[in-house]
Amino acid sequence: MSDLLHTALFDLHVELGAKMVPFAGYAMPVQYPMGVMQEHLHTRSAAGLFDVSHMGQVLLRGASWDAVALAFEALAPVDVLGLADGRQRYGFFTNEKGGIEDDLMFARRGQDLFVVINAACKETDLRLMRAGLPADIMIEVLEDRALIALQGPKAETALARLDPAAANMRFMDAAPLDLNGIAVWASRSGYTGEDGFEISVDQGDVEPLVRTLLEMEEVAPIGLGARDSLRLEAGLCLYGQDMDAGTTPSSAALTWAIQKVRRAGGARAGGFPGADVILAEFETPSPSVRVGLSPQGRAPMRSGVALFADETSDVQIGTVTSGGFGPSVQAPVAMGMLNRENAAAGTTVYGDVRGKRLPVAVVKLPFVAAGFKR
């Protein structure tokens, strides 16, 4: 643990009794004394506070919004130019084979683009941007910023006590807020399926802000363990498990994130890495696809479990990519990559768990309906 990086909240995590574990090069809280199960349920019913400062924050600047947006569109198959000021969007970087290099969130801040990238992909993403963006696009890595997420149905109530303007934000709005005199940049988003906010704040201000939030009855600190079960129930991909550089948007079931303007026939179709592969899969989908999986017993099926069409076949048709127990649904939940012939909801396949074939139902995602404020 001694060679791991610390976020600005490390000492507070320890003070709060967190169990710290290595994650993406950082020492991060996996759970607090409440435990993963209760942390998960607390977030679903009230408001959970997460430290996600290990993620990368990058600001792109150029001569104009059009210059920045069009430059970024050369790296990602998403509509950046059409993003309104103060709005955020989900997207991903792709490679020449159509694989996903990382998924990310980006928001327009006036003439600038604010990008949040996965912790484990920071160096790769920065290399992609430095190599792929024109020299007149300035890349500023915001090393002095922390990032926290306040998630759950009571997140709005909690944050609006500090700045009532938070209550006026819609899902995927992004705006500056003043939280008890602390200037932050907040987006109404998150990765739990719940309503909530992600808050970028100066590292020097993050601990006072977190302590203020934790004084509120509805707010509790939540670790990575519950964050993983929340995003799994919400049917959201975890990069490195449910998708990677060898997974196309079609196989990850993420083609919804590619707006019409970037698809064949659109005003700015193509022009991003792997466009020939990615656009062709709108006509001829990939042979396998990410699906929801509901194990039919009480035993969770975790990442790596091989999937088969029946109890005796030797031909593997898929693999579980994420799996565990879903505290909200009180049953095992999983996602996996499966041959399309077997991927229809309602199909029963079989997971090989320690040599025993156990039935798994293919189901529609998410397991828990999203609580976003539209």
Side-chain angles (χ1 to χ4, degrees):
M1 295 282 283
S2 60
D3 58 344
L4 296 173
L5 299 170
H6 291 180
T7 72
L9 292 173
F10 176 84
D11 290 342
L12 180 58
H13 295 317
V14 174
E15 177 186 324
L16 294 171
K19 179 182 177 182
M20 305 300 288
V21 299
F23 184 79
Y26 287 80
M28 298 297 291
V30 67
Q31 68 177 77
Y32 296 87
M34 187 191 297
V36 173
M37 179 79 76
Q38 291 307 312
E39 289 175 25
H40 178 114
L41 296 173
H42 181 89
T43 304
R44 288 272 185 251
S45 63
L49 184 60
F50 303 78
D51 179 13
V52 287
S53 302
H54 56 307
M55 300 182 78
Q57 301 180 64
V58 183
L59 200 60
L60 303 181
R61 294 193 176 100
S64 66
W65 167 249
D66 285 13
V68 173
L70 291 172
F72 199 72
E73 285 192 357
L75 301 179
V78 288
D79 177 11
V80 187
L81 186 62
L83 196 62
D85 193 9
R87 292 290 292 166
Q88 180 173 260
R89 183 163 281 162
Y90 174 81
F92 30 77
F93 291 138
T94 52
N95 58 38
E96 295 299 333
K97 295 183 178 178
I100 297 172
E101 289 288 331
D102 191 17
D103 64 336
L104 49 94
M105 302 294 287
F106 59 94
R108 180 175 177 181
R109 293 173 53 167
Q111 302 302 300
D112 303 334
L113 188 70
F114 175 67
V115 187
V116 177
I117 53 181
N118 277 308
C121 300
K122 275 192 280 192
E123 295 307 315
T124 298
D125 291 352
L126 288 172
R127 276 199 301 273
L128 284 171
M129 286 189 274
R130 286 167 178 149
L133 294 174
D136 58 353
I137 302 297
M138 190 177 74
I139 303 169
E140 181 183 359
V141 183
L142 305 178
E143 303 279 10
D144 60 345
R145 305 287 290 182
L147 191 68
I148 58 174
L150 186 64
Q151 301 282 291
K154 296 183 180 178
E156 177 187 289
T157 301
L159 205 62
R161 278 195 201 103
L162 305 181
D163 188 338
N168 298 326
M169 295 172 67
R170 300 166 299 152
F171 181 56
M172 289 297 202
D173 275 353
L177 295 177
D178 184 330
L179 304 179
N180 261 8
I182 296 174
V184 307
W185 174 260
S187 62
R188 191 144 196 171
S189 61
Y191 218 62
T192 61
E194 292 296 328
D195 182 25
F197 301 83
E198 291 201 338
I199 302 164
S200 172
V201 54
D202 188 276
Q203 284 187 358
D205 291 329
V206 68
E207 185 174 327
L209 175 58
V210 166
R211 286 186 184 276
T212 298
L213 289 166
L214 290 178
E215 287 173 357
M216 300 180 187
E217 184 179 1
E218 62 267 60
V219 180
I222 308 296
L224 292 176
R227 184 172 172 82
D228 191 54
S229 57
L230 288 160
R231 71 93 197 160
L232 178 54
E233 283 186 341
L236 300 170
C237 290
L238 178 63
Y239 193 83
Q241 284 190 203
D242 305 299
M243 60 179 165
D244 56 26
T247 310
T248 64
S250 175
S251 54
L254 292 175
T255 50
W256 60 266
I258 303 174
Q259 291 74 31
K260 289 183 179 178
V261 72
R262 304 304 310 278
R263 302 183 188 180
R268 299 190 307 284
F272 48 82
D276 54 341
V277 176
I278 292 169
L279 297 184
E281 287 190 341
F282 278 94
E283 300 298 325
T284 307
S286 59
S288 59
V289 65
R290 177 176 62 94
V291 297
L293 298 167
S294 178
Q296 297 300 286
R298 297 296 292 175
M301 291 189 187
R302 304 193 186 279
S303 175
V305 167
L307 298 171
F308 297 86
D310 56 48
E311 295 177 89
T312 58
S313 173
D314 293 329
V315 181
Q316 185 174 341
I317 59 169
T319 305
V320 173
T321 54
S322 287
F325 186 77
S328 301
V329 300
Q330 285 293 297
V333 293
M335 293 192 293
M337 200 63 72
L338 197 60
N339 284 356
R340 285 189 185 268
E341 302 87 77
N342 303 89
T347 303
T348 297
V349 297
Y350 292 80
D352 191 310
V353 180
R354 295 184 292 278
K356 187 174 182 180
R357 299 283 173 92
L358 301 176
V360 187
V362 180
V363 296
K364 290 184 177 179
L365 294 171
F367 294 97
V368 174
F372 306 140
K373 181 178 178 179
R374 301 290 185 180

